[in-house]
Amino acid sequence: MMHNYLTPNFSFAPMLPARAAGSRVWDVEGKEYLDLSGGIAVNALGHCHPDLVEVLHTQAQTLWHISNLYTSLPAQELAGKLVRHTFADKVFFANSGAEANEAALKLARKHARDHFGAEKNEIVACIDSFHGRTLFTVSVGGQPKYSQDFAPLPQGIRHVPFNDIAALEAAVNENTCAVIIEPIQGESGVLPAQKEYLQAARQLCDRFQAALIFDEVQTGMGRTGKLFTYQHHDVAPDILSSAKALGCGIPIGAMLCTEAFAASFTPGSHGSTFGGNPLACAVGSRAFDIINHPDTLDNTLRQGAALQAALSDLGKESGVFSAVRGVGLLIGCVLAEPYHGRVGELVKAALQEQLMLLQAGSNVLRFAPSLLLNDEDRAEGIVRLRRAIARFQAA
Ligand SMILES: *Cc1c(COP(=O)(O)O)cnc(C)c1O
């Protein structure tokens, strides 16, 4: 391939994407690929959706950036939609998931300090969670491999096993300012939180006056067939982070919160140069309308169920998967014991069969395709995956 001028923290795949439409991607040589990875759960409406291209084009000729000395119609429009369709009263715009979580964690600390004093600063997070790559978010994320080389780390963070109510009860106390949970752990293996776990977290946070934060960066914006995954469980957080699919590929993140928490973000207490810029918000606002439409949410559930069924069949036929799990179009196939640690090879084999997939942890093959996935692309994905599995098993 060409010379790589970028820092070596990424291992790029051996193909160079040049253009894309819907669930298809073409490389610089014109070879076509089927994309069931969705740019890592970002391209929720597929690539280059015509309505998003249109709004991007229109906004580009209107107003790109104006700074946070001013607000704008697109920012207020998108924030209003997020507020009207969720638990939230207020929105802070950022540019990524890590930044949305950074805002959420800072807000929880400040709110606790404002109301209860400096002692109340502890954050309880889950082992194997993922919240982003800033120093604070890698420290809160329960994966030492992402934080240990950057010590000294921020203090006042406790980690507990995911889905373990007793461990959560033992960790949360009057010094807890926040509990942060992914309703489905995405990066570490597409592991859904149990409803009872989320309910217990809600009760503990109420009892100790701590903020319940849901990180819905990966699970939000229609991915699981509801606007946000917490809406499947009737357990509302105080603070929620969104990004990835929020802009469908245009960088934008958002922190949503209740009025009571928002009040602690007093003028000047937090900020962002690009957050809430009209270009990203205009695209996000149009994407919101399409994602939050019953047709899209129904398609997500229907295609998700059909894809899970086909993957289960493929698992039985090949013996490669021991379980298939997930909700809507966030799906993980757990590799059977003999294949443990080899999911990277399976992703590579899939790419050789012109199929773009993801790994999650070391044993899970992850799917996060367009929410507009159609029957033809889904069926073609299974055909290509069957060939990839044969290639993988022959290796
Ligand atoms: C991707 C992800 C993040 C980080 O988002 P960035 O935009 O990469 O900063 C945070 N939390 C979860 C759950 C994610 O999946």
Side-chain angles (χ1 to χ4, degrees):
M1 222 165 45
M2 60 172 64
H3 182 79
N4 178 15
Y5 292 98
L6 306 185
T7 53
N9 49 318
F10 299 107
S11 324
F12 297 119
M15 77 92 151
L16 198 57
R19 67 187 176 88
S23 291
R24 306 279 170 154
V25 175
W26 291 267
D27 71 10
V28 284
E29 269 124 42
K31 193 168 168 187
E32 172 263 348
Y33 293 81
L34 179 63
D35 182 5
L36 298 186
S37 67
I40 318 190
V42 167
N43 302 310
L45 299 176
H47 295 276
C48 299
H49 188 287
D51 290 17
L52 301 188
V53 171
E54 196 265 328
V55 70
L56 181 63
H57 191 82
T58 304
Q59 190 61 38
Q61 292 171 316
T62 310
L63 183 69
W64 293 25
H65 177 84
I66 196 69
S67 91
N68 281 309
L69 299 175
Y70 312 89
T71 186
S72 68
L73 294 175
Q76 294 297 334
E77 190 179 282
L78 175 57
K81 288 173 186 177
L82 288 165
V83 163
R84 283 195 297 280
H85 291 92
T86 67
F87 74 97
D89 303 308
K90 296 285 182 187
V91 176
F92 168 80
F93 285 121
N95 310 287
S96 66
E99 283 181 45
N101 282 324
E102 187 85 17
L105 296 163
K106 284 178 70 178
L107 178 61
R109 281 251 174 102
K110 186 163 187 304
H111 181 266
R113 172 182 287 257
D114 288 352
H115 295 274
F116 308 100
E119 298 283 274
K120 193 174 176 67
N121 60 44
E122 249 187 34
I123 293 160
V124 176
C126 296
I127 293 170
D128 286 338
S129 64
F130 183 80
H131 300 299
R133 299 295 200 131
T134 64
L135 194 60
F136 199 2
T137 55
V138 285
S139 304
V140 171
Q143 303 191 61
K145 67 178 182 203
Y146 293 140
S147 60
Q148 64 199 8
D149 292 343
F150 305 102
L153 304 177
Q155 298 297 294
I157 300 161
R158 270 198 207 204
H159 290 103
V160 292
F162 185 61
N163 269 334
D164 181 337
I165 294 176
L168 196 61
E169 281 170 347
V172 177
N173 58 44
E174 57 282 353
N175 289 334
T176 307
C177 72
V179 173
I180 181 166
I181 299 173
E182 291 168 84
I184 300 174
Q185 283 193 335
E187 293 304 307
S188 62
V190 191
L191 262 171
Q194 281 144 17
K195 189 189 191 88
E196 300 72 37
Y197 186 65
L198 299 177
Q199 286 169 336
R202 179 68 275 173
Q203 281 162 11
L204 283 166
C205 286
D206 288 343
R207 180 160 149 224
F208 291 105
Q209 294 173 290
L212 180 60
I213 305 174
F214 285 161
D215 179 345
E216 293 235 28
V217 170
Q218 185 154 166
T219 57
M221 295 312 296
R223 177 60 47 201
T224 66
K226 296 250 188 212
L227 183 61
F228 289 103
T229 296
Y230 83 85
Q231 293 166 333
H232 284 289
H233 302 293
D234 272 333
V235 179
D238 303 294
I239 303 176
L240 177 147
S241 52
S242 175
K244 291 206 164 99
L246 185 59
C248 286
I250 299 298
I252 181 170
M255 181 207 64
L256 285 59
C257 64
T258 61
E259 189 80 56
F261 277 88
S264 281
F265 261 2
T266 47
S269 59
H270 191 58
S272 166
T273 291
F274 294 123
N277 75 81
L279 199 61
C281 288
V283 175
S285 182
R286 187 74 190 95
F288 185 101
D289 294 341
I290 305 171
I291 287 172
N292 197 41
H293 192 283
D295 290 351
T296 305
L297 298 174
D298 290 350
N299 189 65
T300 302
L301 290 173
R302 200 169 55 78
Q303 292 294 343
L307 187 54
Q308 280 211 32
L311 291 168
S312 295
D313 289 348
L314 201 50
K316 283 183 199 119
E317 170 189 317
S318 66
V320 167
F321 307 140
S322 61
V324 177
R325 65 191 176 207
V327 186
L329 282 170
L330 183 57
I331 299 173
C333 301
V334 186
L335 294 198
E337 173 91 53
Y339 302 99
H340 274 194
R342 290 184 57 199
V343 68
E345 286 172 54
L346 182 52
V347 169
K348 284 198 180 106
L351 195 67
Q352 287 176 307
E353 296 298 341
Q354 296 164 259
L355 175 62
M356 296 160 78
L357 295 176
L358 300 164
Q359 69 179 81
S362 50
N363 295 321
V364 175
L365 185 70
R366 177 172 39 151
F367 295 73
S370 167
L371 309 183
L372 303 178
L373 183 69
N374 59 34
D375 293 347
E376 186 196 333
D377 288 346
R378 189 190 72 237
E380 180 62 21
I382 294 298
V383 167
R384 293 185 191 190
L385 181 58
R386 181 177 284 114
R387 287 203 290 260
I389 287 173
R391 187 189 274 271
F392 170 69
Q393 287 181 310

